[in-house]
Amino acid sequence: MLEALGNAVGLDGMSIGNGFRTLLTIASMGLAAWLVFFGDPKQVVRRAGLAFAAVVLLAPIIQPWYILWFLPLLAATGIRNNWQIKVCYVVVAFFVVFGAQDQLFVWNFVSLRVGSGTLASAVAWGAVIYLLVLDIHTRKLLFSREATLDARAVGTSSRSSHPSAPR
């Protein structure tokens, strides 16, 4: 995308894209190293999951099964029912849509009036719109305020059990 934008304004898009990919790779390695070497020693599995997530999500090339590298580690340490679970939903949805679009895009041997890339993108976007707008269960998971209210209730109950805690 950055290559196309760079080319559109008359710059060397290939160099911009390569520089951005290099920057993301260095950032992912730095973040992973930070998570591995620094932090609470009691949360090694959580830090390993976050390090894997940084490497996967900032990688210049991704495959849908890469989520299997970090999601089990994060799940083993507990994912809270607040923004953390919503981020997991979005990441999993991205990888599922990306995988479906990627698999449909390789159907170049089928002769259609529409290009396979266009068809793959339309199917992927159709699935996302269906999940976000029409599927009531997914819509409840992503857009409900229950998770926010649950988090506030946990914070309130922990404060009430410790009267000396600052408010």
Side-chain angles (χ1 to χ4, degrees), residues 30-49:
L31 188 56
W34 179 267
L35 288 164
V36 168
F37 293 121
F38 302 104
D40 186 3
K42 295 177 185 175
Q43 295 185 351
V44 173
V45 176
R46 179 70 159 199
R47 290 183 5 235

Side-chain angles (χ1 to χ4, degrees), residues 2-24:
L2 284 176
E3 290 180 25
L5 288 174
N7 288 333
V9 296
L11 299 173
D12 183 12
M14 180 74 88
S15 296
I16 293 171
N18 288 338
F20 185 69
R21 284 186 285 277
T22 302
L23 181 69
L24 287 179

Side-chain angles (χ1 to χ4, degrees), residues 45-51 53 69-79 88:
V45 176
R46 179 70 159 199
R47 290 183 5 235
L50 292 172
W69 293 355
F70 66 87
L71 195 57
L73 295 172
L74 295 178
T77 61
I79 298 172
C88 283

Side-chain angles (χ1 to χ4, degrees), residues 54-71:
V55 170
V56 167
L57 297 175
L58 296 175
I61 297 174
I62 56 173
Q63 295 297 328
W65 57 85
Y66 289 0
I67 194 169
L68 298 175
W69 293 355
F70 66 87
L71 195 57

Side-chain angles (χ1 to χ4, degrees), residues 92-146:
V92 169
F94 168 78
F95 276 93
V96 167
V97 168
F98 179 79
Q101 191 268 346
D102 188 47
Q103 294 303 311
L104 289 172
F105 189 71
V106 297
W107 283 14
N108 290 328
F109 58 86
V110 177
S111 64
L112 299 170
R113 292 185 180 151
V114 177
S116 61
T118 304
L119 178 63
S121 294
V123 168
W125 281 108
V128 168
I129 291 169
Y130 168 77
L131 288 173
L132 293 177
V133 177
L134 300 175
D135 184 48
I136 193 162
H137 302 294
T138 307
R139 193 173 48 206
K140 280 183 185 178
L141 289 173
L142 287 176
F143 300 115
S144 73
R145 294 184 49 99
E146 291 176 11

